[in-house]
Amino acid sequence: MRRLAHDLRRIREKQKRSLQEIHNETKIALELLQHFERTALYDHERYNPVYLRSFARTYASAIGIDPAAVLDAVELAFEGRYRNQLAVRFLGEEPLPEPEPETAPAEASTPEAAPERKPPQESETPLPLVTTPGGLERLERPARWKARVVGVIVVVMAAAGIWYLLRPAPAPPPEPLPVDTATVPAAATDTTPSVETPPVQVPVLGDTITATVIAAFDKVDPIRVRIDRDLRRPYWIEQGDSMQFRFTERIILENQLDDIQLRLDGHPYPTDRRDAEGRIVITREQLQAYLDSLARGVQ
């Protein structure tokens, strides 16, 4: 289903039709169109075969391709036999090879048991740091770090529990002494000078601003980014990973914006601030004004 959705999105982009235009023509919600281009609605709460066929027919007509061809591709996806038939027909790509059938293992020719083989040990490789055009940095992190973090937390909690059980009992509080009210002097007037509240520190942006895009909710496949006057480029981010982009005056983010979290120079930035085309456009002046409002407690 994801391959089918991926091919349909690329066909739409080749036809130079935006999701906003599809929304205006079909009155289908933008969020539902974005979800369809990620998973073909296979994991959506509205999913059922009848609804999906009707949705695919409407989508095909809106982007200007044969609805019958799209419905045939949907049937193949239901059966698990969709390779890239739509990309072959409408994008001119080569067909993907069919998977080879599994063959039954041959019977042993001799009754002697085969010698046991030790499983190969996986070699640990250092985490690669990849640098791409436009000031992009990406750190590949293996999933095993999560297990290590959980192990460290368990050890710390166990040590804290042992310390709590073995700690010495606290000494009883001292008994209060009787006070003769007749000899207690009157309380002196508090002459401590009041401390003035320091002024609010407003973050000041440097010459280069770092934008960190985190694939927090799903795989980003892909997001399109334009940095300053550079061309718009696609980037793919696995769920849980992040990418960094450095810009001086402006950055524009498009596609799958509901699946990401965004930080600018370490400060969280809301992803629902979008223009009429559904893009996130951030300039240096807009970001400085936003940080000023955060420093003063203005929403």
Side-chain angles (χ1 to χ4, degrees):
M1 284 296 183
R2 283 185 178 272
R3 179 178 288 124
L4 171 64
H6 179 68
D7 289 347
L8 285 173
R9 185 183 74 246
R10 292 191 297 135
I11 293 172
R12 171 183 63 78
E13 292 172 350
K14 180 181 179 182
Q15 302 287 356
K16 300 187 183 303
R17 298 298 306 277
S18 66
L19 279 182
Q20 185 66 42
E21 294 173 343
I22 304 302
H23 163 69
N24 295 338
E25 181 175 334
T26 63
K27 306 305 179 183
I28 299 175
L30 277 174
E31 179 183 357
L32 200 57
L33 289 170
Q34 292 170 350
H35 204 107
F36 175 73
E37 289 192 348
R38 288 198 302 268
T39 64
L41 300 180
Y42 189 76
D43 58 348
H44 197 271
E45 59 184 4
R46 296 188 182 180
Y47 170 80
N48 65 67
V50 176
Y51 181 83
L52 179 55
R53 291 187 184 97
S54 176
F55 195 107
R57 183 185 299 107
T58 303
Y59 181 92
S61 299
I63 66 175
I65 64 175
D66 184 10
V70 176
L71 291 178
D72 290 342
V74 170
E75 296 299 329
L76 291 174
F78 285 153
E79 299 170 3
R81 296 189 298 111
Y82 178 79
R83 308 298 295 164
N84 66 335
Q85 288 87 339
L86 291 179
V88 171
R89 177 171 177 181
F90 296 104
L91 298 177
E93 297 183 357
E94 293 295 329
L96 297 176
E98 293 292 336
E100 297 182 358
E102 297 183 358
T103 57
E107 297 184 357
S109 57
T110 61
E112 297 180 359
E116 295 184 357
R117 297 181 180 178
K118 296 182 180 179
Q121 297 182 352
E122 296 181 358
S123 60
E124 295 186 358
T125 57
L127 304 181
L129 183 65
V130 181
T131 304
T132 58
L136 165 67
E137 292 184 359
R138 175 181 178 182
L139 185 62
E140 300 284 350
R141 301 186 299 275
R144 66 183 66 175
W145 68 270
K146 298 181 181 179
R148 295 177 180 174
V149 172
V150 172
V152 172
I153 293 175
V154 171
V155 172
V156 172
M157 293 180 64
I162 295 173
W163 175 85
Y164 181 83
L165 294 175
L166 300 180
R167 78 191 193 284
E175 294 291 337
L177 299 176
V179 178
D180 187 358
T181 57
T183 60
V184 175
T189 305
D190 186 8
T191 59
T192 304
S194 60
V195 179
E196 296 182 357
T197 303
V200 177
Q201 297 294 330
V202 179
V204 179
L205 298 175
D207 295 337
T208 302
I209 303 170
T210 301
T212 304
V213 179
I214 307 169
F217 307 109
D218 199 355
K219 173 183 178 182
V220 177
D221 184 26
I223 189 172
R224 299 184 184 277
V225 182
R226 181 174 181 182
I227 300 172
D228 295 323
R229 299 182 180 275
D230 196 6
L231 299 176
R232 185 181 67 170
R233 303 176 186 274
Y235 300 96
W236 287 261
I237 311 175
E238 294 294 333
Q239 185 175 1
D241 276 356
S242 64
M243 287 188 178
Q244 290 185 342
F245 304 88
R246 292 188 174 90
F247 66 98
T248 57
E249 295 298 331
R250 184 183 67 173
I251 186 171
I252 301 175
L253 307 174
E254 302 177 63
N255 292 5
Q256 290 193 243
L257 302 180
D258 294 330
D259 296 330
I260 67 169
Q261 290 180 348
L262 184 59
R263 302 181 71 87
L264 295 171
D265 276 354
H267 302 281
Y269 191 87
T271 59
D272 57 354
R273 295 190 172 191
R274 306 178 189 178
D275 62 6
E277 298 179 14
R279 307 176 303 173
I280 298 178
V281 181
I282 306 172
T283 63
R284 174 181 291 272
E285 291 76 15
Q286 291 173 338
L287 178 57
Q288 186 64 64
Y290 175 73
L291 296 179
D292 293 347
S293 67
L294 290 182
R296 295 181 174 85
V298 179
Q299 298 295 332

